[in-house]
Amino acid sequence: MTLVKCCVPAALYTLNNNIAVHSQHWLDPVSIQVLGNLKIVATVVVYKLMLHRHIGKQKLLAIGCILVAGVLNGLAGRYAGNATGEDEALVTVRVTMVGVCMMLVLSVSSAIAAVFTEKLLKHEKGGIHFLNVCLYGSGVMMNSATVAMELAGEETQLEGGVHALLASVVKGFTPICWFIVLCQVASGLLMSVVLKYAGNLLRLMIIACAVLVNVLASVLIFSLHIPQLLLFALPILVLGLALYTADRKPS
């Protein structure tokens, strides 16, 4: 029964992965990043509806701050691109109704998957490692099914059978790419601990902190020039984090 329940977030995340790829045909990259902040709003709404948790005014204000900061951070990418003369395709606004609808579906399904996962980790029997195996195992099966359907639709025939298919999946993976994969694995496992012992609201704050780390790392490693709009976003983000940590009331 646990495995069946784990198929719910697995199916939703599989849907998200496919929407994230196909939405690029209907939206420009910056618009995707800006509209992606709808996941914050959706997560708060779904969190309250599914878990029946009260969210205090101070925490809501904190979440509002990271939402505004996220939008400003996304818009900063467009102005930075214009300032540095990047490829016009990367900075030209391209927003369609289909793309907006896709991002709405992605935001809602992502929120449901995240909150459902939290509910499973907190209330389902079995240790966190067993539940992680069920969750990620379900995800592998769901994504493998989509790959199989795609290959069947294209009537693709691979010489060498299953071995050749598996080799094609990781073809071109460099050591750096594998390092990124391992980082994502570690991130997923740590997030499962956060969801089990804290919740999705703290997860949103951790993701917000990642923006600060990303900016700092980009400046130190790539000597990146920080866009002016991002300088407005960072104090708002810090304010949101301060408001959240100052609120000791459980949610």
Side-chain angles (χ1 to χ4, degrees), residues 186-208:
S187 174
L189 293 174
L190 287 172
M191 279 299 179
S192 66
V193 175
V194 171
L195 291 177
K196 183 174 179 64
Y197 298 107
N200 268 286
L201 298 187
L202 181 59
R203 181 182 70 90
L204 292 177
M205 294 299 131
I206 292 173
I207 295 172

Side-chain angles (χ1 to χ4, degrees), residues 21-151:
V21 172
H22 293 293
S23 63
Q24 296 178 56
H25 297 292
W26 304 95
L27 297 166
D28 64 276
V30 176
S31 295
I32 289 175
Q33 190 171 357
V34 172
L35 290 172
N37 288 286
L38 290 171
K39 286 189 285 188
I40 298 174
V41 179
T43 300
V44 172
V45 174
V46 175
Y47 181 85
K48 191 171 180 63
L49 292 177
M50 283 185 65
L51 300 182
H52 308 289
R53 299 284 183 84
H54 172 71
I55 305 174
K57 292 181 180 179
Q58 187 167 323
K59 278 192 170 66
L60 285 174
L61 182 58
I63 293 168
C65 286
I66 67 168
L67 175 62
V68 172
V71 172
L72 291 175
N73 179 44
L75 292 174
R78 173 167 290 126
Y79 291 105
N82 284 323
T84 56
E86 289 183 3
D87 185 0
E88 185 179 352
L90 297 178
V91 295
T92 301
V93 178
R94 186 175 75 257
V95 179
T96 65
M97 184 56 66
V98 174
V100 172
C101 290
M102 291 176 77
M103 292 305 296
L104 285 172
V105 173
L106 185 147
S107 298
V108 173
S109 58
S110 175
I112 294 173
V115 176
F116 197 95
T117 300
E118 178 182 342
K119 193 171 183 178
L120 281 175
L121 289 169
K122 285 182 174 176
H123 303 295
E124 195 68 19
K125 293 181 180 179
I128 186 172
H129 300 300
F130 170 72
L131 291 171
N132 275 331
V133 169
C134 292
L135 286 164
Y136 288 107
S138 301
V140 170
M141 288 190 294
M142 292 286 180
N143 283 283
S144 298
T146 58
V147 171
M149 286 188 292
E150 184 177 347
L151 291 175

